[in-house]
Amino acid sequence: MARIVGLFSYPVKGCAGVALREGGLGAAGLNHDRTFMVVDDGDGGFVSQRNAPRMAVVRPEIDDDGTRLMLTAPGAEAIEIKVDVNGARRDVRMHGAPFRGVDQGDPAAEWLSTVLGRPCRLVGVPPELDRVTSGETPGTAGFADSSAVLVMAERSVAELNARLADRGVAPLPMDRFRANFVVDGWEEPHVEDRVRRFEVGSAELGFTKLAVRCAVTTVDQRRGERVGPEPLRTLAEYRRISGGVALGVRFAVTRPGTVAVGDELRVTRWAEP
């Protein structure tokens, strides 16, 4: 029986995750997930651990009602931001696609620029965002890369770690893969690849696509440093698909609800053999 054993929201795209015991799951994913994004102060392109690995050690905390955001990082004084949903809109880009973000002001921009060592600003998802995400099941999301929810199975990561061990490489923790739902209970690796629709808690989700992995998986999430080339080198040997290497699956929310650690994941449709 597959169950959720880890539940994570990432209020600021690219920064540290927040572990949850339970949470609301809206059309755009877990409450506050990827509600904010760091962008380059010049061209508006989003900043990620691909080019700023230190983002991994920036820890956000957000009030339940989403009105206040606190950011902390080693060696920096914490900053608390009153979330602005009515401020100036800013043209930003994510993976080449244009978006609009609500600028969160100079103090947040100055704090992040100092911590990350590059001129940047913090923007929030505007209330009027009407984003349609790609993939097999239609959906929406905030500033997530593609679909609203990323699901990772512990057994699949265990398979990767067994292959890394054969190379003499230490096992990698689950946080390298920045999942929203961590699932345990499947006996075989990559069972999640075949899930097309499932219910969990009071919510339902539909398959969009396999998760193509990038250089973020080579960043030590506790130190904020790139320590590659693993796991990408090993994944390339057995998980290569069109567009890269895959580990984990992305889903759209087809029925909002609430989810919690310990909830059973009830598959209602599998991929055709």
Side-chain angles (χ1 to χ4, degrees):
M1 180 184 297
R3 293 187 180 277
I4 292 183
V5 295
L7 197 61
F8 299 91
S9 177
Y10 302 84
V12 181
K13 180 180 178 67
C15 294
V18 177
L20 307 172
R21 293 301 302 174
E22 62 180 3
L25 187 69
L30 285 168
N31 287 350
H32 312 307
D33 188 60
R34 276 84 174 193
T35 299
F36 301 92
M37 181 167 66
V38 182
V39 299
D40 185 271
D41 192 23
D43 64 11
F46 86 105
V47 179
S48 81
Q49 290 184 32
R50 299 169 183 82
N51 49 25
R54 185 165 163 75
M55 291 182 76
V57 299
V58 176
R59 299 200 166 275
E61 296 180 21
I62 189 165
D63 289 355
D64 289 344
D65 62 4
T67 58
R68 291 193 175 274
L69 173 71
M70 178 176 286
L71 301 176
T72 61
E77 186 175 345
I79 183 173
E80 185 174 287
I81 301 156
K82 183 179 179 180
V83 176
D84 188 355
V85 297
N86 299 310
R89 270 51 175 169
R90 188 180 185 92
D91 291 326
V92 298
R93 292 181 299 104
M94 184 171 63
H95 298 299
F99 289 88
R100 298 276 280 173
V102 183
D103 194 280
Q104 297 301 303
D106 290 342
E110 292 165 4
W111 189 92
L112 284 163
S113 297
T114 299
V115 169
L116 300 180
R118 55 184 297 158
C120 54
R121 299 195 71 83
L122 183 69
V123 299
V125 171
E128 68 272 13
L129 179 70
D130 185 21
R131 180 184 179 192
V132 177
T133 53
S134 61
E136 184 174 305
T137 302
T140 189
F143 288 141
D145 272 0
S146 56
S147 308
V149 174
L150 174 60
V151 174
M152 294 287 304
E154 288 204 329
R155 183 64 186 83
S156 301
V157 175
E159 172 67 19
L160 168 63
N161 281 330
R163 292 172 181 260
L164 291 174
D166 290 341
R167 290 180 177 270
V169 178
L172 299 181
M174 181 62 76
D175 65 9
R176 284 286 187 100
F177 306 102
R178 300 179 61 77
N180 296 115
F181 295 178
V182 178
V183 177
D184 193 21
W186 285 314
E187 294 183 2
E188 299 296 324
H190 312 301
V191 171
E192 64 273 26
D193 291 9
R194 299 189 287 109
V195 175
R196 289 300 175 266
R197 194 166 292 266
F198 72 90
E199 297 176 339
V200 62
S202 58
E204 181 188 65
L205 297 92
F207 172 90
T208 62
K209 63 185 74 172
L210 299 183
V212 175
R213 309 316 304 227
C214 67
V216 171
T217 60
T218 68
V219 175
D220 184 314
Q221 297 295 299
R222 291 168 175 78
R223 290 159 42 200
E225 298 174 1
R226 185 168 294 163
V227 290
E230 297 294 3
L232 297 179
R233 181 175 65 176
T234 296
L235 286 172
E237 295 180 347
Y238 74 108
R239 293 290 296 171
R240 186 171 290 281
I241 64 171
S242 176
V245 296
L247 190 66
V249 183
R250 299 188 186 278
F251 289 85
V253 178
T254 54
R255 184 179 70 232
T258 57
V259 295
V261 172
D263 281 350
E264 178 186 356
L265 194 149
R266 306 176 299 277
V267 179
T268 56
R269 184 163 69 88
W270 296 92
E272 296 293 331

